[in-house]
Amino acid sequence: MTHEAIVAGVGMIKFAKPGASESYDAMGAAAIRAALKDSGLSYDNIAQAYAGYVYGDSTCGQKALYHVGMTGIPIVNVNNNCSTGSTALFLARQAIEHGIADCVLAVGFEQMQPGALGSHWTDRPTPFDDFDAECDALVGNSQVPLALRYFGGAGKSHMEKFGTNLTDFAKIRAKASRHAANNPLALFNQEITEEQVMAAPMMWDGVMTRLMACPPTCGGAAAILCSESFAAKHGIDQTVRIKAQAMTTDYASTFDSHDMMQVVGYDMTAAAAQQVQDQSGIAMSDVDVIELHDCFAHNELITYEGLGLTPEGTAQQFIADGNNTYGGKYVTNPSGGLLSKGHPLGATGLAQCYELTHQLRGTADARQVDGARTALQHNLGLGGACVVTLYQAA
């Protein structure tokens, strides 16, 4: 027998720049307390916990959770690159679905350092060796920071195949800022125009300006999942349910296709989206609101097509028609997304869950998508893993 996972409570703290935040454990604990308050539960109700972070020593999860309670429960530390928060959510959902536990916590946090991402281990092979080699072969430009080469290279591939313009990415970035202007928890609340995005310093000539990349960010977010029977017993709001969820990792096409769009997870995204549709019987066309992984404006654009929101090669028209914002077919990243809200790696997926839960409850204030009943979450990590989650309001 399987049990449907209910989102009992969510919590999130305002994201901050590196050096301007509390420590990782304090941020994680604050997010947990907020989720407990939202759910009306106490820490004693939590049977298991999954704690996600990328940069930190082992058992950082215990350090964060012990501030809230020490009840001897299993605590599993999770690291799956930028999809870490959603991986913690995936594991929590599995525990509920299979009846292993009735009330489970997923928390993610990240205390990041300024500047480009890098490895802290220089005496052993990096998980990115094969990815870096493929990126070098396809993109070159070794003077450009690696993450920019990955996602800028994917955007460049789309430009070459389908005639996408730099201004299309600028429109996505400007849209993110308009959405984030209504999000008090976002790192950047200031609205910027397409013209300002284009006028920003060029990071890769003809491919990317500085404003098209998300900033390194610190933060924390958490979600509590429970079973229907637990919710009924404890008077939990059962509005938001996880109807389907899929996690994929890389396919042979990641390297065999010799295409940067594939290197950054296009097929992982497409496969996870299809699995979610197959599990739920709900088509992408029935989705109202989406939080997707816009670490770069380029990734948001190719993800429109990877998820099946619009046919391959049509993202440019999709954007021009306003189908990615309020008044269009899908409202994408009403939170402001990673581009404006920020991207603390371990917390990102759970911050997406926070936003979509409030959208389906109808409590997203000025960001509210009218009549939102079905929501989709997409969280991607290179190296690689992709988690797609479909939520529905009961």
Side-chain angles (χ1 to χ4, degrees):
M1 180 179 178
T2 59
H3 305 262
E4 196 166 74
I6 291 164
V7 183
V10 288
M12 177 181 163
I13 63 170
K14 182 176 175 64
F15 292 171
K17 293 180 179 179
S21 75
E22 293 186 285
S23 62
Y24 71 87
D25 54 317
M27 292 187 290
I32 294 165
R33 291 189 186 102
L36 288 168
K37 182 179 180 181
D38 184 55
S39 68
L41 295 168
S42 72
Y43 187 73
D44 288 341
N45 293 121
I46 304 299
Q48 291 187 1
Y50 296 89
Y53 57 95
V54 175
Y55 292 111
D57 289 323
S58 186
T59 67
C60 284
Q62 279 87 329
K63 175 71 171 172
L65 271 84
Y66 286 175
H67 290 307
V68 185
M70 298 177 70
T71 56
I73 62 170
I75 299 171
V76 179
N77 291 274
V78 180
N79 183 343
N80 227 5
N81 215 344
C82 300
S83 64
T84 290
S86 288
T87 301
L89 187 71
F90 180 84
L91 294 168
R93 191 268 313 161
Q94 283 190 327
I96 298 295
E97 183 177 292
H98 295 289
I100 296 167
D102 280 332
C103 186
V104 182
L105 169 72
V107 61
F109 46 81
E110 207 72 55
Q111 183 177 342
M112 295 188 70
Q113 297 170 327
L117 299 180
S119 174
H120 287 255
W121 305 98
T122 57
D123 62 342
R124 64 202 69 183
T126 164
F128 294 105
D129 281 346
D130 295 336
F131 293 86
D132 292 350
E134 185 69 3
C135 186
D136 287 341
L138 293 172
V139 172
N141 287 298
S142 58
Q143 75 280 3
V144 176
L146 199 53
L148 273 68
R149 294 168 68 207
Y150 274 115
F151 290 100
K156 187 171 182 288
S157 172
H158 199 280
M159 295 165 86
E160 292 167 350
K161 287 193 282 188
F162 303 116
T164 313
N165 295 313
L166 196 61
T167 54
D168 297 313
F169 304 126
K171 289 173 183 174
I172 287 172
R173 180 63 184 88
K175 180 265 297 177
S177 76
R178 292 194 300 272
H179 291 184
N182 293 316
N183 187 359
L185 296 180
L187 176 60
F188 298 130
N189 302 111
Q190 183 178 356
E191 189 172 330
I192 56 176
T193 65
E194 178 185 337
E195 291 72 25
Q196 287 174 305
V197 179
M198 290 295 290
M202 193 68 69
M203 304 292 285
W204 182 351
D205 192 38
V207 176
M208 186 185 297
T209 71
R210 180 175 292 165
L211 287 175
M212 294 175 186
C214 73
T217 319
C218 303
I224 298 168
L225 304 184
C226 72
S227 65
E228 291 175 277
S229 60
F230 182 94
K233 180 180 178 181
H234 291 83
I236 300 295
D237 182 344
Q238 299 189 41
T239 300
V240 182
R241 296 161 180 255
I242 296 178
K243 301 299 291 187
Q245 190 177 47
M247 177 190 287
T248 52
T249 56
D250 287 288
Y251 294 87
S253 57
T254 297
F255 302 116
D256 293 348
S257 63
H258 303 300
D259 182 343
M260 284 304 298
M261 286 173 55
Q262 301 292 353
V263 173
V264 301
Y266 187 89
D267 276 358
M268 286 197 295
T269 290
Q274 187 59 56
Q275 288 177 32
V276 160
Q277 290 180 91
D278 292 345
Q279 288 174 29
S280 66
I282 297 170
M284 287 295 153
S285 57
D286 294 325
V287 170
D288 303 306
V289 58
I290 299 165
E291 284 282 310
L292 59 78
H293 197 88
D294 60 324
C295 50
F296 293 81
H298 306 62
N299 201 52
E300 176 160 342
L301 186 145
I302 68 173
T303 300
Y304 296 153
E305 298 177 6
L307 288 172
L309 308 181
T310 190
E312 192 168 281
T314 65
Q316 187 175 39
Q317 191 63 48
F318 180 80
I319 296 164
D321 292 341
N323 279 323
N324 62 348
T325 189
Y326 296 87
K329 174 60 179 167
Y330 307 98
V331 180
T332 56
N333 294 331
S335 68
L338 285 59
L339 288 166
S340 282
K341 180 180 59 186
H343 182 24
L345 309 188
T348 291
L350 288 156
Q352 292 176 324
C353 175
Y354 175 93
E355 177 67 25
L356 294 177
T357 296
H358 280 290
Q359 290 289 343
L360 295 185
R361 287 178 179 170
T363 54
D365 300 324
R367 304 185 309 283
Q368 186 62 50
V369 176
D370 289 342
R373 302 289 298 170
T374 305
L376 189 77
Q377 176 187 350
H378 164 267
N379 191 197
L380 179 81
L382 293 182
C386 178
V387 184
V388 172
T389 308
L390 184 76
Y391 304 83
Q392 202 162 48

